[in-house]
Amino acid sequence: MPHLHRRHLLIAASAAAAAAGAAAAAPAIAGAKPKADAAPALTWEFRQADGTDWLKATVPGTVHTDLLSNGKIADPFYRVNERDQQWIDKKDWEYRTTLTLDAKTLSHDHVELHFAGLDTYADVYVNDVKVLSADNMFREWTVDIKPHARPGANSLRVYFHSPIAKGLAALDAFGFAVPSPNDQSETGGLGDKKVGLFTRKAGYHYGWDWGPRFVTSGIWRPVTVRAWSTARIDDLRIVQDSLTPDAAQLTAVFEVTATRETTAVLDVSSAGDKTIAAKTETTLKPGLNTISVPFTIAKPKLWWTNGLGEAFLYSLKGRLTAAGGADTRKVKTGLRTIKVIQTPDAAGASFYFELNGVPVFMKGANYIPNDSFLPRVTHDVYDKVVASAVDTHMNMLRVWGGGVYEDDYFYDLCDRNGILVWQDFMFACSMLPGDEAFLDNVRQEAVQNIRRLRNHACIALWSGNNEIDSAWQADVPNGGWGWKQPLSEAQRDRLTTAYNAIFHDILPAAVSAHDPQTFYWPSSPLAAWEGGNKVKHADHLAKVQSGDLHYWDVWWGQKPFAEYRTVIGRFMSEYGFQSFPEFKTVQAYTEPGDHDIFSEVMKAHQRSSIGNGTIKNYMERDYRVPSDFRQFLYVGQVLQAEGIKVAMEAHRSRMPFCMGSLFWQINDCWPVASWSSIDYYGRWKAQQYFARHAFTPVLVAPRLDGDTVTVTAVSDRLTDTKAVLSLQVLDFVGGIVFERNDVITLKANTSAEVASEAVGALLNGVAPEAALLHVRLMQEGQLLSQNILYFKPVKDLVLPAPEYVTQVKAVGDELAVAVTAGSLIKNLYLSLDEGDGRFDDNYFDVLPGETKVVRFKPAARMSAAQLEQHLRLMDMAQVRG
């Protein structure tokens, strides 16, 4: 438990520091008056609205985290504490502070209070006058408080209404239950009343099949005061008009609000490239003005994804100069063309991303919020998850629609690291109301977030929602997930009308108006969209495939992992399998008596309805099921990794038929058994290590097809590669049974079968449970890719007792562990009983006679002697049922 608290308190402290920094970094103020100072860091208090005691609060923050820091609740993630904290969302809460404004600030034409995020139903009072009512977590809110402000102390109070009370009122007014299966209303004490869908708030806060139910309230993003006169830049958009090797023709589109008619100069420049310079003179009219400043970049450097080239970014500055003052806005952008190509062919229609004219296979994962309590997510947390994606050769993350439009810093990281973003709008797995107030709220939410994110080079696609089309299928009477059947025809029509309004009208219109160069896709998955309400639903059983596909018969349908090789769409945007986190993470939320996968606590930290039993079921198929709890966690991680490896390799092996593989999911929002490849504390599971090998730019992938072994080679390189393909069959003590070397040419940016051998010829009389196939691709002595195929499930292998020698030494700022194997070591797992850090490889096989060197980067200072003292090794030969 202390480990859990350490991370949370550090994050809370960092969030408070970030809030203070945000207040100090308010936008520059333009106008005839001198610039006003930004609001100082504020001291906040909060209380239960029907209570009397005011307590210290952190902004940005949430009610839950403020209660935790004041010692009023226990750690929400520990054991089953979640259950005892469901009362919080049923209450109203108040926050207050004192805002000190001087005469200089108040002399400006406008003194605005800007909330970057209010969660969710909030009334804002300045000097006891209500100046703002908010009802959308995803929107920013700005109000001019000058009419109500005075020099000196000003009271600022934010009253949060219970999102549950608001939701129940909306449900009663709506008249019938709306499908929303992931809302854990029973945990929240509401029975079957699903209310989250009525509130524009992160869906996962109401629970999901990997997350807890904490329906938060609070000022979740920074608050700033902005004072200005005459004119200010509201927005600066960089539009790429054309892009050739010789020149990029661009337009800086300024949106400027002016209080009065005045002459102004608008210019664009770059500190890094003095040749980038353009300006225009104009007369500003009162109100909103849109001014375009065209400019050219000669010999432009292109932005490329991770693995294909540099993700080059241009730093640009737009400046407004008006009588008596100036305003500036800085933008970083990358120059690239990106298209989604859907071309009919004999197998259906393609669905791939073309970057700078090059078809690119998307390798990556689905991404969820990093915490149930969003203000605790620091830059360090973002750094680690994006760095993990980069280290694993990923080039795309899908920001899933049940979370939030992420912090700007996340998209900045993706820009800098060449990670494309498939961006969902924030709708997932539920039908929705369609009254005018709700639709207008959605419209404004979409416009704000499109405008906020559209300059990012990483934004590749806007998707309307997650899985609602598949679940509903309005035009198929018995189609979908059974949502329609309990409803009357009138109720179905009402929900269908709302769906069509949002996903076939409002959202595509918003993208077309504000980011027309980016592709819009109404729902994921979807086979085709012809505009309007003309859709073709995704179907993994269809003989021809198009669009993107989610495949969940492995896991939910209990199908074997081998199905990943036969069910392949044109773009696999979801698939996955669960595992538990490692023992050190489990220790953070349990007591020793909880260490059984079917204990109350372990089941509480498992939200899939078929969870822990399904993991055990699949384990029984291929592994010895350990009686030891720690060994069970270890085997479970290998099970997940090996299963998803089948999918990743199968998808890449079908390139260019299939051009994307995004597994579910890379991260967690709390410590839990889930589909994640990295746990809540940032610790890589076996799957993340396996993804590093499966997503390497050049891949060799053997598979067992009955009595035949087929080897496929895949290359993401944009030029052909001449290489040596090596096939070697070994017994488990190092005897060579079969050996073959071929010189091959890997064609650029595609896959091909490069070898096929009968199993009998490979084994040459050796028992299949005692041999392995080691496949390598070499180029001029450099290893491009290697893989190992076993001829029997792990539970049937005759694994020798482990024989190995380890050596630990310091290598610069890192440490290294060398493991020399006397016989096969299967899935060697390195861990520490004290301390933390990351090995650069783990859960790997070591062949007989091989020395494997693994680097280790400790989280805190550690000597080689300390690493050696605390190092623990586990492998499959140690596992006992």
Side-chain angles (χ1 to χ4, degrees):
M1 187 166 71
H3 196 85
L4 190 72
H5 285 299
R6 263 205 308 277
R7 182 199 188 224
H8 289 181
L9 293 176
L10 283 170
I11 291 175
S14 298
I29 300 148
K33 302 285 187 182
K35 291 182 179 180
D37 294 331
L42 303 175
T43 300
W44 287 88
E45 296 178 308
F46 84 113
R47 71 174 179 182
Q48 191 172 313
D50 57 2
T52 57
D53 295 334
W54 289 92
L55 302 171
K56 184 179 180 181
T58 298
V59 172
T62 71
V63 169
H64 288 76
T65 48
D66 284 334
L67 289 170
L68 177 62
S69 64
N70 280 278
K72 299 300 182 181
I73 59 172
D75 192 298
F77 293 169
Y78 188 65
R79 302 192 81 233
V80 294
N81 286 346
E82 172 197 7
R83 298 174 185 172
D84 298 328
Q85 297 175 7
Q86 296 305 307
W87 62 273
I88 298 170
D89 60 33
K90 315 298 188 300
K91 301 293 184 179
D92 294 354
W93 299 88
E94 276 187 293
Y95 281 71
R96 74 179 183 185
T97 190
T98 298
L99 187 64
T100 301
L101 301 172
D102 58 23
K104 183 191 298 185
T105 300
L106 292 173
S107 67
H108 283 271
D109 295 343
H110 297 277
V111 181
E112 296 174 341
L113 190 60
H114 177 76
F115 292 90
L118 289 167
D119 178 15
T120 293
Y121 296 103
D123 295 330
V124 179
Y125 296 84
V126 173
N127 295 326
D128 294 324
V129 176
K130 184 161 74 171
V131 296
L132 172 67
S133 287
D135 62 354
N136 190 321
M137 176 184 184
F138 306 124
R139 288 172 59 184
E140 299 184 24
W141 303 89
T142 302
V143 60
D144 196 329
I145 63 171
K146 182 171 180 177
H148 314 291
R150 54 182 175 242
N154 293 262
S155 68
L156 173 59
R157 183 165 56 93
V158 184
Y159 188 102
F160 289 97
H161 299 270
S162 161
I164 300 306
K166 289 284 190 179
L168 287 170
L171 175 60
D172 288 344
F174 197 77
F176 65 92
V178 180
S180 183
N182 283 288
D183 186 326
Q184 296 171 12
S185 56
E186 294 83 359
T187 299
L190 303 180
D192 61 357
K193 294 183 177 180
K194 315 288 188 182
V195 300
L197 63 103
F198 294 102
T199 297
R200 293 309 300 142
K201 175 175 172 56
Y204 83 108
H205 281 166
Y206 295 84
W208 218 266
D209 56 8
W210 37 259
R213 186 186 187 280
F214 292 111
V215 185
T216 57
S217 291
I219 306 170
W220 76 287
R221 280 179 168 163
V223 186
T224 52
V225 171
R226 307 188 299 201
W228 61 279
S229 295
T230 307
R232 71 184 304 271
I233 300 173
D234 289 332
D235 186 65
L236 173 59
R237 178 187 174 202
I238 305 300
V239 178
Q240 182 180 288
D241 300 311
S242 66
L243 181 63
T244 71
D246 292 327
Q249 303 295 336
L250 307 170
T251 302
V253 181
F254 291 82
E255 291 187 6
V256 176
T257 296
T259 60
R260 61 185 69 91
E261 183 171 314
T262 184
T263 58
V265 175
L266 292 135
D267 67 79
V268 62
S269 62
S270 173
D273 186 344
K274 298 301 183 183
T275 66
I276 300 174
K279 69 178 180 179
T280 189
E281 296 185 11
T282 190
T283 298
L284 300 176
K285 303 295 184 182
L288 182 64
N289 299 259
T290 301
I291 306 101
S292 295
V293 181
F295 65 103
T296 301
I297 298 177
K299 303 294 182 183
K301 295 181 179 180
L302 299 184
W303 185 93
W304 289 96
T305 49
N306 181 35
L308 288 185
E310 182 183 4
F312 187 85
L313 296 172
Y314 284 90
S315 296
L316 304 172
K317 183 173 73 173
R319 183 173 58 176
L320 161 70
T321 305
D327 195 9
T328 60
R329 181 69 65 95
K330 293 181 179 179
V331 171
K332 285 191 175 183
T333 194
L335 302 181
R336 84 289 187 274
T337 60
I338 188 160
K339 302 175 183 177
V340 175
I341 305 299
Q342 300 178 87
T343 303
D345 56 29
S350 66
F351 189 97
Y352 67 86
F353 290 84
E354 182 187 87
L355 176 67
N356 300 326
V358 175
V360 181
F361 189 100
M362 291 297 132
K363 302 176 293 187
N366 288 263
Y367 168 95
I368 67 171
N370 288 293
D371 205 303
S372 292
F373 308 111
L374 287 159
R376 299 200 300 199
V377 182
T378 63
H379 284 186
D380 181 62
V381 173
Y382 286 122
D383 288 339
K384 287 177 179 176
V385 71
V386 174
S388 293
V390 173
D391 291 348
T392 315
H393 308 292
M394 294 182 179
N395 54 19
M396 176 172 276
L397 292 172
R398 175 183 175 229
V399 177
W400 166 78
V404 296
Y405 306 94
E406 267 296 351
D407 188 85
D408 290 331
Y409 185 73
F410 168 81
Y411 299 100
D412 290 342
L413 287 174
C414 292
D415 284 346
R416 296 203 299 263
N417 288 282
I419 302 295
L420 286 171
V421 172
W422 173 307
Q423 178 66 54
D424 282 6
F425 287 98
M426 291 303 115
F427 303 90
C429 299
S430 71
M431 299 307 289
L432 299 157
D435 57 275
E436 280 305 312
F438 187 88
L439 296 181
D440 185 62
N441 203 355
V442 167
R443 184 180 293 107
Q444 294 188 58
E445 166 193 324
V447 169
Q448 277 194 8
N449 284 284
I450 293 167
R451 287 162 59 87
R452 177 169 70 92
L453 300 180
R454 62 189 175 185
N455 280 325
H456 288 281
C458 65
I459 298 295
L461 173 149
W462 292 97
S463 179
N465 69 73
N466 175 75
E467 296 185 339
I468 305 178
D469 177 82
S470 291
W472 188 243
Q473 296 188 15
D475 58 329
V476 183
N478 294 315
W481 297 354
W483 288 4
K484 298 189 297 289
Q485 282 74 357
L487 303 176
S488 69
E489 184 174 353
Q491 290 169 337
R492 295 184 193 186
D493 289 346
R494 184 175 174 186
L495 295 177
T496 297
T497 299
Y499 180 91
N500 290 337
I502 294 169
F503 303 110
H504 298 157
D505 181 11
I506 291 172
L507 296 184
V511 173
S512 178
H514 300 282
D515 192 16
Q517 294 174 316
T518 302
F519 183 81
Y520 173 78
W521 192 236
S523 184
S524 178
L526 195 67
W529 182 49
E530 298 177 11
N533 301 329
K534 298 177 182 178
V535 299
K536 181 179 179 182
H537 312 298
D539 180 3
H540 72 269
L541 298 176
K543 291 183 179 180
V544 295
Q545 287 291 327
S546 58
D548 71 312
L549 193 64
H550 296 187
Y551 181 59
W552 284 105
D553 275 5
V554 175
W555 182 263
W556 291 108
Q558 306 285 314
K559 294 288 183 69
F561 291 126
E563 290 290 301
Y564 282 136
R565 296 195 180 102
T566 58
V567 181
I568 300 177
R570 309 310 293 260
F571 193 104
M572 301 299 294
S573 48
E574 269 194 35
Y575 59 94
F577 193 85
Q578 278 201 358
S579 73
F580 298 94
E582 65 177 74
F583 184 64
K584 190 174 292 184
T585 293
V586 172
Q587 284 181 298
Y589 63 84
T590 61
E591 294 177 353
D594 302 325
H595 294 167
D596 180 304
I597 66 165
F598 297 113
S599 72
E600 181 185 21
V601 170
M602 291 299 290
K603 288 193 294 183
H605 287 254
Q606 162 62 271
R607 292 308 166 94
S608 170
S609 59
I610 62 170
N612 294 354
T614 297
I615 294 173
K616 186 177 181 182
N617 176 300
Y618 273 86
M619 192 181 293
E620 289 169 344
R621 301 178 191 183
D622 291 317
Y623 294 87
R624 300 183 188 94
V625 179
S627 56
D628 178 78
F629 181 73
R630 293 183 68 162
Q631 287 189 355
F632 192 98
L633 302 183
Y634 155 71
V635 175
Q637 287 211 16
V638 175
L639 169 71
Q640 177 196 36
E642 292 282 7
I644 298 306
K645 174 188 175 185
V646 172
M648 292 183 287
E649 291 184 353
H651 301 159
R652 294 192 69 195
S653 294
R654 289 292 304 276
M655 179 185 181
F657 172 85
C658 176
M659 287 295 287
S661 183
L662 310 180
F663 62 73
W664 183 273
Q665 66 212 60
I666 193 172
N667 59 331
D668 273 327
C669 69
W670 74 316
V672 65
S674 80
W675 294 271
S676 73
S677 58
I678 303 173
D679 76 21
Y680 174 72
Y681 295 105
R683 296 174 180 135
W684 283 24
K685 295 182 179 180
Q687 181 179 317
Q688 192 70 20
Y689 288 103
F690 277 44
R692 173 184 275 168
H693 297 291
F695 284 160
T696 189
V698 174
L699 170 70
V700 61
R703 68 181 185 273
L704 185 62
D705 296 322
D707 295 329
T708 304
V709 171
T710 304
V711 180
T712 300
V714 185
S715 177
D716 293 334
R717 293 178 171 181
L718 301 185
T719 56
D720 293 352
T721 301
K722 192 172 184 180
V724 174
L725 173 68
S726 169
L727 282 67
Q728 189 178 62
V729 177
L730 304 171
D731 62 29
F732 293 167
V733 293
I736 298 176
V737 178
F738 176 95
E739 196 165 23
R740 168 181 155 187
N741 294 289
D742 297 322
V743 176
I744 64 171
T745 298
L746 303 179
K747 294 296 184 182
N749 208 21
T750 194
S751 68
E753 293 185 358
V754 292
S756 180
E757 286 283 354
V759 171
L762 291 170
L763 291 174
N764 196 24
V766 174
E769 62 268 19
L772 61 87
L773 172 64
H774 182 212
V775 185
R776 294 180 297 165
L777 272 176
M778 307 288 294
Q779 183 183 40
E780 298 178 352
Q782 177 186 358
L783 180 66
L784 299 179
S785 177
Q786 65 176 331
N787 221 322
I788 297 174
L789 175 95
Y790 292 88
F791 298 93
K792 289 288 183 180
V794 174
K795 67 180 182 181
D796 297 330
L797 298 179
V798 183
L799 295 173
E803 299 177 10
Y804 49 79
V805 176
T806 61
Q807 182 182 6
V808 180
K809 61 180 181 179
V811 181
D813 294 333
E814 297 182 343
L815 301 169
V817 179
V819 181
T820 301
S823 57
L824 172 69
I825 309 173
K826 184 84 178 80
N827 298 119
L828 183 62
Y829 168 46
L830 310 178
S831 63
L832 302 181
D833 58 14
E834 285 187 25
D836 219 335
R838 182 183 299 162
F839 294 94
D840 71 352
D841 202 1
N842 218 335
Y843 302 90
F844 49 80
D845 295 353
V846 189
L847 298 178
E850 180 185 9
T851 296
K852 171 80 173 182
V853 179
V854 181
R855 289 181 177 264
F856 176 72
K857 187 172 184 178
R861 184 182 294 274
M862 182 181 294
S863 67
Q866 289 172 317
L867 175 57
E868 188 167 21
Q869 176 186 354
H870 297 297
L871 183 65
R872 297 293 177 265
L873 292 86
M874 188 179 294
D875 67 89
M876 280 295 169
Q878 300 175 27
V879 174
R880 295 291 179 266

